[in-house]
Amino acid sequence: MEERKALSEDDPYANDPRRHPALIPSAEKPYNAEPPVSLLMQDFLTPNDLFFVRNHLPVPNIDPESFNLEIGFENGKMRGLTLDVLKKKLPSKTVATTVQCAGNRRSDMVKIKPVKGLNWGIAAISTAEWTGPTLNSVLRACGVDIDTVDCGHIQFEGLDKGPDGTIYGASIPIELARMLKDDIIVAHQMNGVDIPKDHGYPLRIIIPGVVGARQVKWLGKIVLSKDESTSHWQQRDYKGFNSSIDWHNVDFDSSVAIQFLPVQSAICEPEDGETLDDDEEVTVKGYAWSGGGRGIYRVDVSADGGKTWTSATVEPNGQSPYKSWAWTFWEVTVPIPKEHEGKVELICKACDSQYNVQPDSVEGIWNLRGCLSNAWHRINVQVPK
Amino acid sequence: MEERKALSEDDPYANDPRRHPALIPSAEKPYNAEPPVSLLMQDFLTPNDLFFVRNHLPVPNIDPESFNLEIGFENGKMRGLTLDVLKKKLPSKTVATTVQCAGNRRSDMVKIKPVKGLNWGIAAISTAEWTGPTLNSVLRACGVDIDTVDCGHIQFEGLDKGPDGTIYGASIPIELARMLKDDIIVAHQMNGVDIPKDHGYPLRIIIPGVVGARQVKWLGKIVLSKDESTSHWQQRDYKGFNSSIDWHNVDFDSSVAIQFLPVQSAICEPEDGETLDDDEEVTVKGYAWSGGGRGIYRVDVSADGGKTWTSATVEPNGQSPYKSWAWTFWEVTVPIPKEHEGKVELICKACDSQYNVQPDSVEGIWNLRGCLSNAWHRINVQVPK
Ligand SMILES: [Mo]
Ligand SMILES: [Mo]
């Protein structure tokens, strides 16, 4: 992998990798970017170089030879596992999972009222096949039985470090870890190759159905602890609040860290603002996904403001309705209302395998950090006269 | 238990039990009723005689001495377990779970457009402690390992029978049964006493987090099968559709049987239509619940049509966020807008532990059977001038 030339010795981002020119950045340092909507659905498994990038700190430079994944109890002695052990000595599993940023579709929330956060469009979501030993087997190799171990949370620490010494970290409750113990992957491969630098080389913890923020990249440490991670991102970020809470009255301790994500969907084709080439019907395509392993049962599309709905053809993703970690693509052709006056609004909404649905409006779910933006997706297109 | 005097030898409902006079019936034969809203939240565990009743057929008369729970493979030999074995020979577990009818709050859907179904208010939901052996231990006693058995669905058959010979039946996918194997109870006790006649005497299968319709009462048979139950209620009822599907264009085979239920909440105090005794603030109380074991993280209440929200105090139910089978009660005092003009609309909406939220409007989730009615709950109250 080529390195970007350091513009300055003092730039902590000087070692960041080169990125695909098609990526659309929402921030440069740390680098954050999503693929163009037109490329998002080209493949069920997003190509690694088009996979959305959500970095909180500079990309670290990690030497695979000296790398050791540290595992242990808080304040206790840490075991170290080399990459060689993780890759060759433990049984390997491959899982296709979708990773979504907590802020995906934040730009829809911003339209209502400003929020603090990167202005993500609808493509801060991507899917890959991840390969590595399961969390269960890694812990067992260290003599820990995940089902009986006395701890409250599993903390994951990254090797990315800010100029002020901040380290990225997150945690999941032990109960969640137990539910997913054979599905959480200590991944060293992404779509069949070593995980690229931007995505966590050499290790990323993959926790299917859970928000991207807990799936720590450049994984350096797994800590069994009584407590949640004390990181900024676990305690003072990535939590939900009602729409009357803003920065003057927020109490982060009153809310609970986001883990599993709610049902989501978005229209990728046509794109917002596009001009259609037909005035009688339109073929609409998009993705749908839900957290917690919930598959997608139905996606409804409307071209008349929600008066009438047509259910889309939902492409099976090969996973079961209760362990559906990956997204599904859908497609439907809907009639364009006669009284279109040159433009039409297209809406989609999904229903998952536990019959959860998306909320109708952004107003009802607006929150100061612009997380969990999963209202019905609405786009406007031009219709030829 | 007293029996109602048979008005006629030919009345298949002649053996139905006497019911609590406070229950509000939505149908008499078969008997269906919900408790008055004013009594719903008196106790966290609903008293048995106030627990909502959802009967599809006449209540059967079952002799506990000769009773045998039959268990086996479809087309194979059935094992029989007596009540004595189920009660005394197998380890017992007690779980507090909320049971909700698929049609709870259907009356809110009817206001938009007629649907087929009993006109339930907001109280077709109740909570009890259920006691009995787990499904896992019952199957193991019959030599079946639920984790490896080769079958697709577990069917449950009731001993209730219609005049035309129809038997009540339902099924759950084996994958769901495996997820919940130690939480599904073959219950013989409800709140510490033998299950009352209306609630399934002597056995009801309790499947936490799942729609009431699959939690078969008067359980007579557990069948391990390749296929789903072929019953009317599994195949031609209790499925979701978009709001443009009505009886002229419905294809029941195109949808999937409802199992886990989505997040729900309702205001119980004040009641719809009530006159408040204060014009400055109002204390609002209600319940919230979600399927799939998801606990409740937040309930928001608005007295100004959703412009501002106050988060309620959510009473812990003693269960974990990922295995939260029982409802939670909540309470909040909200200011009444100055420009109230003698009336005000109160709204509540809940957010569960996977950050699923309720949809804003009934219009978006209307369906021909009026199931899954979980839009924001809205009531109107009078304010003194
Ligand atoms: Mo994120
Ligand atoms: Mo039901």
Side-chain angles (χ1 to χ4, degrees):
Chain A
M1 202 158 304
E2 283 181 88
E3 305 298 328
R4 189 179 288 193
K5 282 229 172 60
L7 296 173
S8 146
E9 296 276 306
D10 299 331
D11 183 1
Y13 295 93
N15 282 311
D16 270 26
R18 248 180 223 283
R19 279 97 183 191
H20 195 291
L23 285 176
I24 304 165
S26 50
E28 287 288 352
K29 295 179 178 186
Y31 186 77
N32 285 278
E34 63 193 297
V37 171
S38 61
L39 297 182
L40 188 63
M41 287 178 60
Q42 276 205 332
D43 302 279
F44 176 74
L45 297 177
T46 316
N48 288 354
D49 57 359
L50 288 173
F51 201 99
F52 84 96
V53 180
R54 172 66 182 110
N55 292 345
H56 295 87
L57 297 167
V59 174
N61 233 335
I62 297 169
D63 171 17
E65 297 302 322
S66 61
F67 176 83
N68 250 295
L69 175 64
E70 293 185 74
I71 301 158
F73 291 90
E74 204 172 28
N75 307 320
K77 222 179 90 212
M78 300 302 260
R79 278 282 296 267
L81 294 182
T82 63
L83 272 184
D84 210 58
V85 167
L86 290 164
K87 287 180 173 179
K88 298 178 189 161
K89 298 285 153 63
L90 295 175
S92 186
K93 186 168 175 172
T94 297
V95 178
T97 80
T98 294
V99 181
Q100 183 183 225
C101 179
N104 189 34
R105 298 188 55 206
R106 180 176 285 131
S107 52
D108 285 339
M109 245 177 215
V110 175
K111 290 175 198 159
I112 306 296
K113 192 178 154 193
V115 303
K116 232 182 237 177
L118 301 170
N119 197 34
W120 295 109
I122 63 169
I125 183 169
S126 300
T127 300
E129 273 187 354
W130 305 88
T131 302
T134 65
L135 180 63
N136 195 12
S137 66
V138 167
L139 291 178
R140 216 183 296 135
C142 298
V144 173
D145 178 350
I146 194 171
D147 288 318
T148 56
V149 64
D150 181 25
C151 82
H153 301 264
I154 304 192
Q155 301 179 357
F156 304 102
E157 226 179 82
L159 291 166
D160 43 340
K161 195 182 278 191
D164 62 352
T166 311
I167 289 170
Y168 191 79
S171 64
I172 57 173
I174 183 69
E175 197 184 3
L176 191 160
R178 285 179 184 141
M179 287 166 70
L180 298 184
K181 64 184 178 184
D182 293 316
D183 297 295
I184 297 174
I185 307 275
V186 179
H188 54 79
Q189 295 224 311
M190 180 179 181
N191 289 327
V193 299
D194 284 352
I195 297 183
K197 242 185 130 177
D198 252 342
H199 297 290
Y201 180 83
L203 292 182
R204 181 173 191 176
I205 187 84
I206 292 297
I207 312 168
V210 158
V211 62
R214 312 299 170 213
Q215 305 190 55
V216 174
K217 306 199 278 192
W218 312 291
L219 180 69
K221 243 186 225 182
I222 299 178
V223 182
L224 302 155
S225 170
K226 197 163 50 65
D227 303 309
E228 268 196 306
S229 165
T230 58
S231 86
H232 169 81
W233 299 276
Q234 189 83 20
Q235 299 298 331
R236 294 289 174 269
D237 198 352
Y238 299 129
K239 291 183 169 186
F241 296 95
N242 78 43
S243 55
S244 296
I245 302 295
D246 213 334
W247 294 97
H248 66 285
N249 64 350
V250 66
D251 171 12
F252 273 93
D253 292 329
S254 72
S255 183
V256 190
I258 299 167
Q259 301 285 358
F260 290 118
L261 288 174
V263 58
Q264 177 70 288
S265 70
I267 297 170
C268 296
E269 194 186 316
E271 285 190 64
D272 194 25
E274 204 174 312
T275 300
L276 307 182
D277 48 19
D278 184 72
D279 65 350
E280 302 214 328
E281 56 178 34
V282 54
T283 295
V284 184
K285 299 182 188 183
Y287 66 79
W289 180 76
S290 190
R294 296 181 296 270
I296 298 298
Y297 275 170
R298 209 178 71 233
V299 177
D300 304 321
V301 174
S302 175
D304 60 6
K307 281 198 283 294
T308 60
W309 296 92
T310 310
S311 291
T313 301
V314 174
E315 211 172 292
N317 65 7
Q319 301 178 331
S320 89
Y322 302 112
K323 287 203 167 194
S324 201
W325 309 122
W327 58 14
T328 40
F329 290 163
W330 51 266
E331 176 173 344
V332 64
T333 299
V334 293
I336 292 171
K338 295 241 178 302
E339 351 47 270
H340 58 71
E341 295 183 356
K343 61 183 176 135
V344 79
E345 183 190 48
L346 299 174
I347 315 178
C348 79
K349 62 179 171 75
C351 168
D352 75 20
S353 67
Q354 301 206 16
Y355 276 102
N356 295 294
V357 296
Q358 296 178 241
D360 314 31
S361 78
V362 182
E363 284 80 357
I365 54 167
W366 184 96
N367 62 86
L368 75 179
R369 271 290 277 120
C371 294
L372 304 160
S373 185
N374 73 330
W376 297 0
H377 187 222
R378 295 162 189 269
I379 64 164
N380 293 294
V381 290
Q382 314 296 318
V383 183
K385 304 229 190 190
Chain B
M1 201 158 305
E2 285 179 87
E3 305 299 329
R4 190 178 289 194
K5 282 229 173 59
L7 297 173
S8 145
E9 296 277 305
D10 298 331
D11 182 2
Y13 294 93
N15 282 311
D16 270 27
R18 247 180 224 284
R19 277 96 182 193
H20 195 292
L23 286 176
I24 303 163
S26 50
E28 288 288 350
K29 295 177 179 186
Y31 186 78
N32 286 277
E34 64 192 296
V37 171
S38 61
L39 297 182
L40 188 64
M41 286 179 59
Q42 276 206 332
D43 302 280
F44 176 75
L45 298 178
T46 317
N48 288 354
D49 57 359
L50 288 173
F51 201 101
F52 85 97
V53 180
R54 173 67 180 111
N55 292 345
H56 294 87
L57 298 166
V59 174
N61 233 334
I62 297 168
D63 172 17
E65 297 304 320
S66 62
F67 176 84
N68 250 296
L69 175 64
E70 292 186 74
I71 301 156
F73 290 91
E74 206 172 26
N75 308 322
K77 221 179 89 211
M78 301 301 262
R79 278 284 295 269
L81 294 181
T82 64
L83 273 184
D84 210 58
V85 166
L86 290 164
K87 287 180 174 182
K88 298 176 187 161
K89 299 284 153 64
L90 295 175
S92 185
K93 185 166 177 173
T94 297
V95 179
T97 79
T98 294
V99 182
Q100 184 182 225
C101 179
N104 189 34
R105 300 188 54 207
R106 181 178 284 132
S107 51
D108 284 340
M109 243 175 217
V110 175
K111 289 174 197 159
I112 307 297
K113 191 176 155 195
V115 302
K116 234 183 235 176
L118 301 169
N119 196 33
W120 295 109
I122 63 169
I125 183 169
S126 301
T127 300
E129 272 187 357
W130 306 89
T131 302
T134 63
L135 179 64
N136 195 11
S137 65
V138 167
L139 291 179
R140 217 183 296 134
C142 297
V144 174
D145 178 350
I146 194 171
D147 287 319
T148 55
V149 63
D150 180 25
C151 81
H153 301 265
I154 303 193
Q155 301 179 355
F156 304 103
E157 223 179 85
L159 291 165
D160 44 339
K161 193 183 277 190
D164 62 351
T166 312
I167 288 169
Y168 191 79
S171 64
I172 58 173
I174 184 68
E175 196 184 4
L176 191 161
R178 285 178 185 141
M179 287 165 70
L180 298 183
K181 63 184 178 182
D182 293 315
D183 297 294
I184 298 174
I185 308 276
V186 179
H188 53 80
Q189 295 225 310
M190 179 181 183
N191 290 327
V193 298
D194 283 354
I195 297 181
K197 243 185 126 173
D198 253 342
H199 297 290
Y201 181 83
L203 292 182
R204 180 174 191 175
I205 188 85
I206 293 296
I207 312 167
V210 158
V211 63
R214 312 300 169 213
Q215 306 189 56
V216 174
K217 307 200 276 192
W218 312 291
L219 180 68
K221 244 185 222 180
I222 299 178
V223 182
L224 302 155
S225 170
K226 197 164 47 67
D227 302 309
E228 268 197 305
S229 166
T230 57
S231 86
H232 169 82
W233 299 278
Q234 189 82 21
Q235 299 297 332
R236 292 290 173 270
D237 197 353
Y238 299 130
K239 291 184 170 186
F241 296 96
N242 79 42
S243 55
S244 296
I245 302 293
D246 212 334
W247 294 97
H248 67 284
N249 63 350
V250 66
D251 170 14
F252 273 93
D253 292 329
S254 72
S255 182
V256 191
I258 299 167
Q259 301 287 357
F260 290 117
L261 288 174
V263 59
Q264 176 69 289
S265 71
I267 297 170
C268 296
E269 193 187 314
E271 285 189 62
D272 194 26
E274 206 174 309
T275 300
L276 307 182
D277 48 18
D278 184 72
D279 65 351
E280 302 213 329
E281 57 179 33
V282 54
T283 296
V284 184
K285 298 182 189 184
Y287 67 78
W289 180 76
S290 190
R294 298 181 295 270
I296 298 298
Y297 276 169
R298 210 178 71 233
V299 178
D300 305 321
V301 174
S302 176
D304 60 4
K307 280 198 282 293
T308 61
W309 296 90
T310 310
S311 291
T313 302
V314 175
E315 211 172 292
N317 65 6
Q319 300 178 333
S320 89
Y322 303 113
K323 286 202 166 194
S324 201
W325 309 121
W327 59 14
T328 40
F329 290 163
W330 52 266
E331 177 175 342
V332 64
T333 299
V334 293
I336 292 170
K338 295 240 179 306
E339 353 43 272
H340 58 72
E341 297 184 354
K343 62 182 177 137
V344 79
E345 183 191 48
L346 299 174
I347 315 178
C348 80
K349 62 178 170 75
C351 168
D352 74 21
S353 66
Q354 300 204 17
Y355 277 101
N356 295 293
V357 297
Q358 298 178 239
D360 314 30
S361 78
V362 181
E363 283 80 358
I365 54 167
W366 184 95
N367 61 87
L368 75 177
R369 270 290 277 120
C371 293
L372 304 161
S373 183
N374 74 329
W376 297 0
H377 186 221
R378 296 163 189 267
I379 64 166
N380 293 295
V381 291
Q382 314 295 318
V383 184
K385 305 231 188 186

